Amino acid sequence: MRSCEVLIVGGGPAGSSAAWKLRRAGADVLVLDRERFPRLKLCAGWITPEVVRDLEIELSDYPHRLLTFPRLRVHFGRLQVPLACVQHSIRRFEFDAWLLERSGAPVEQHNVRHIAADAGGYLIDGAYRCRYLIGAGGTRCPVYRELFRELNPRAGELQIVTLEHEIQYDWQDSDCHLWFFEHGLPGYSWYVPKERGWLNVGIGAIAERLKRRGLDIREQWEQLATMLGGSLAPGACYDPGGYSYYLRGRVDVVRRDNAFITGDAAGLATRDLGEGIGPAIRSGLLAAESILAGKPYRLEDVTGLSISSIARSMLDRIGHGGVFHGRRPRAPGGGGPAHGVRHRDQ
């Protein structure tokens, strides 16, 4: 039987952020994840300046691919709006593993199946015992399933479905592009370049509205790929994968005794852009702070809108006279072929 003070289920950004804060305060922490890191993760890999500040990351010292965008290019039909702000892209394959290693917490590969209350704490699969339990295992988090599902049922109208692919590609346009409501899509699509010759392309929409409008997300994907083939990504070939998660709705119960849920386990992705990394990290840090300081665990400080971060970044640019602050893009260089590498082949 392995015992610890805090057991975290899930080693992604929410779990590693909680572990990092707890370990810095000297807490006895163990992280369980069903996969071995570095692991493949479908995600656009867009992080905000708030993420960088919350995690005290020095951009110049980050050892992996990180590209800073001095602007976003937002498209509404034929209208293109450049937004002068600072955002960043990373590869989740690298970023998540780096955050977990940086936390300093021990990690064990284990697929959690059963959780039971036990003498003021929790017993996990008869093999682990802890006083505090943090659920950071994403939409299908076992902590949510075992302890919170009946208290916080998923809202079907907030379910997002996505298709995306991250490929090795020598992009020429280093800006991030977002297209809203193309061909009646109840969502948006994206082109997110990554440093040194990687590119993430994807599409996301509210599942219920897609069905109601008689739209097929794969047909929407084909239209996006065709458009990119004639403009930003000629010659690129894709083999997209899909996943599903939930936008932020009512989250009535995020702590149950000494158990917490964070990130996508709590359904915290922003309502406008479905951005999940920032809310995951902020909620992981708040859960850790609640354990360390005995504070209530509340999520009012976790923004529900990405546009808030974009607006703050735009105001910051204005306040600094339009000066660009971030890591300048490095040439794709070792970018490789335009046919791409599928997630399962990386």
Side-chain angles (χ1 to χ4, degrees):
M1 178 75 67
R2 175 73 184 273
S3 297
C4 60
E5 183 180 11
V6 185
L7 190 143
I8 301 172
V9 179
S16 61
S17 299
W20 172 68
K21 190 174 186 69
L22 289 162
R23 287 283 292 175
R24 290 209 302 178
D28 177 23
V29 180
L30 175 65
V31 178
L32 301 181
D33 198 287
R34 65 181 181 179
E35 298 187 57
R36 187 176 298 277
F37 284 70
R39 54 89 167 95
L40 306 176
K41 177 66 176 178
L42 287 170
C43 179
W46 174 359
I47 66 172
T48 65
E50 283 83 358
V51 165
V52 174
R53 287 195 293 270
D54 285 347
L55 293 178
E56 301 175 20
I57 298 173
E58 184 62 49
L59 293 180
S60 60
D61 294 337
Y62 179 66
H64 302 294
R65 293 171 179 85
L66 186 147
L67 185 66
T68 300
F69 306 121
R71 70 190 66 83
L72 299 177
R73 296 195 180 275
V74 179
H75 304 257
F76 299 94
R78 296 182 179 180
L79 177 65
Q80 180 187 141
V81 182
L83 301 179
C85 62
V86 174
Q87 306 287 302
H88 313 280
S89 69
I90 45 82
R91 294 198 68 215
R92 290 289 299 273
F93 180 78
E94 301 165 341
F95 185 70
D96 289 12
W98 179 77
L99 287 181
L100 190 55
E101 181 180 7
R102 188 184 77 145
S103 77
V107 182
E108 293 189 14
Q109 188 175 8
H110 179 83
N111 187 15
V112 173
R113 298 186 182 280
H114 182 66
I115 300 168
D118 176 66
Y122 300 91
L123 186 64
I124 291 86
D125 294 334
Y128 302 92
R129 178 178 281 118
C130 62
R131 181 182 178 191
Y132 295 99
L133 179 64
I134 297 177
T139 302
R140 296 177 178 83
C141 180
V143 178
Y144 169 81
R145 182 190 69 227
E146 296 283 292
L147 301 178
F148 289 89
R149 181 162 55 186
E150 293 183 0
L151 300 172
N152 289 328
R154 304 291 193 198
E157 67 273 14
L158 296 178
Q159 184 181 18
I160 294 293
V161 291
T162 71
L163 282 176
E164 65 137 282
H165 192 189
E166 191 157 294
I167 61 174
Q168 218 174 343
Y169 185 81
D170 287 330
W171 43 260
Q172 300 301 310
D173 189 326
S174 62
D175 287 343
C176 174
H177 291 254
L178 307 176
W179 293 267
F180 287 87
F181 316 126
E182 291 281 307
H183 308 287
L185 180 75
Y188 73 101
S189 50
W190 63 84
Y191 161 101
V192 181
K194 310 291 179 79
E195 191 178 40
R196 299 197 298 276
W198 285 84
L199 173 67
N200 188 285
V201 172
I203 187 169
I206 296 177
E208 187 178 78
R209 295 181 189 175
L210 267 177
K211 183 178 180 179
R212 192 162 61 236
R213 295 178 187 183
L215 299 176
D216 186 309
I217 194 168
R218 290 199 170 271
E219 291 179 1
Q220 295 281 329
W221 169 272
E222 292 301 327
Q223 292 170 330
L224 172 64
T226 299
M227 183 269 290
L228 290 174
S231 56
L232 293 171
C237 294
Y238 309 101
D239 182 16
Y243 58 100
S244 177
Y245 63 105
Y246 290 83
L247 300 179
R248 182 164 182 171
R250 287 188 59 184
V251 186
D252 294 324
V253 182
V254 292
R255 178 175 182 174
R256 181 178 180 182
D257 299 323
N258 283 346
F260 305 75
I261 49 173
T262 61
D264 282 345
L268 298 183
T270 59
R271 290 290 291 265
D272 49 1
L273 295 182
E275 190 259 318
I277 299 177
I281 288 169
R282 181 65 61 85
S283 62
L285 294 173
L286 289 172
E289 185 177 349
S290 178
I291 292 170
L292 293 171
K295 295 181 178 180
Y297 176 52
R298 299 193 181 101
L299 298 180
E300 289 88 345
D301 195 37
V302 180
T303 181
L305 295 173
S306 295
I307 192 66
S308 302
S309 172
I310 293 172
R312 284 192 294 271
S313 180
M314 293 175 69
L315 291 173
D316 186 62
R317 287 287 302 274
I318 294 171
H320 287 87
V323 176
F324 172 81
H325 293 282
R327 200 156 94 172
R328 289 288 182 181
R330 302 175 188 176
H339 54 73
V341 178
R342 293 172 296 181
H343 280 271
R344 58 182 174 270
D345 297 331
Q346 293 181 46

